[in-house]
Amino acid sequence: MKVKGQTKGKSCCSSRVNTFPPKSIMIEYLYLDLNTCDRCIGTDNVLDEVILLLTPALELAGYEVEYKKIEMETAAIAEQYQFLSSPTIRVNGRDICQSVVENSCGCCSEISGAKVDCRVFEFNGESYEVPPKEMLADAILYSVFGMSDGGCSCDTAYELPENLKEFFNGKKNVSSCCCDDDCC
């Protein structure tokens, strides 16, 4: 079958076939707790489902997808990852949320014995403690296909937020409690 306008031999595009560098996507899920915190557990479950659905299409488009879950066990780890709020989802180093919006998190407050605020996800004019699948799919795809390669979420000076300092200090105090009648 002959296609009108097609010529034999090299076309202007044929010299680029299979010369594109491998494309990779690193998705990181940064969280405080997957044992107690309803917000972290719920987000983890939704993110797992979304990645399970998106990965075949991304791989079909030539992307290698790597997915990491990283618990912010200590303030030092949180500082290493320049962690701003729990939970956080990053694609290639960029937070999928444009801003950090938080509200009181009873679970994380209970874990640490201190008042802790955790991330709220905003989508289509609504706020969610556990993001909807549509929001995560849209944000991940936009991160892959809609953004330029400039910079990442850690391009500015970082300092562990007070909120997280209180969480880690409280968690340390709660876990070091001897549980005698006098201390707890």
Side-chain angles (χ1 to χ4, degrees):
M1 175 176 168
K2 185 170 181 165
V3 178
K4 187 176 180 180
Q6 186 176 23
T7 60
K8 289 185 178 183
K10 277 190 166 182
S11 72
C12 65
C13 298
S14 67
S15 62
R16 291 186 289 151
V17 173
N18 296 326
T19 62
F20 294 109
K23 301 178 277 187
S24 63
I25 300 168
M26 169 60 74
I27 300 171
E28 296 172 307
Y29 179 54
L30 311 173
Y31 61 90
L32 290 175
D33 175 80
L34 286 181
N35 295 314
T36 305
C37 181
D38 296 333
R39 201 173 303 205
C40 289
I41 294 166
T43 301
D44 180 60
N45 291 334
V46 172
L47 183 58
D48 283 349
E49 287 182 50
V50 168
I51 289 175
L52 188 65
L53 292 169
L54 292 181
T55 297
L58 291 168
E59 288 175 345
L60 183 62
Y63 287 88
E64 294 176 18
V65 179
E66 188 174 347
Y67 177 34
K68 291 183 179 180
K69 296 181 184 188
I70 307 159
E71 181 178 1
M72 301 292 109
E73 295 178 83
T74 64
I77 293 171
E79 288 172 344
Q80 175 188 343
Y81 283 91
Q82 298 189 0
F83 187 59
L84 294 176
S85 185
S86 183
T88 292
I89 301 163
R90 293 181 183 162
V91 176
N92 293 337
R94 291 180 183 261
D95 193 326
I96 64 167
C97 297
Q98 299 299 314
S99 63
V100 175
V101 178
E102 299 176 315
N103 69 7
S104 179
C105 180
C107 297
C108 288
S109 296
E110 188 175 311
I111 291 167
S112 67
K115 183 187 174 306
V116 177
D117 292 337
C118 287
R119 177 166 271 165
V120 175
F121 297 89
E122 296 182 325
F123 182 65
N124 289 341
E126 301 284 330
S127 295
Y128 301 89
E129 290 184 355
V130 174
K133 289 179 198 175
E134 179 185 357
M135 181 234 159
L136 292 185
D138 183 58
I140 291 168
L141 291 172
Y142 182 77
S143 294
V144 173
F145 297 111
M147 297 182 83
S148 69
D149 286 338
C152 73
S153 60
C154 57
D155 284 343
T156 58
Y158 173 81
E159 184 177 333
L160 187 67
E162 268 315 301
N163 185 42
L164 292 172
K165 287 179 187 176
E166 290 179 28
F167 173 82
F168 291 115
N169 287 333
K171 184 179 169 186
K172 192 181 339 175
N173 292 337
V174 168
S175 67
S176 68
C177 178
C178 60
C179 293
D180 290 336
D181 293 325
D182 296 338
C183 99
C184 298

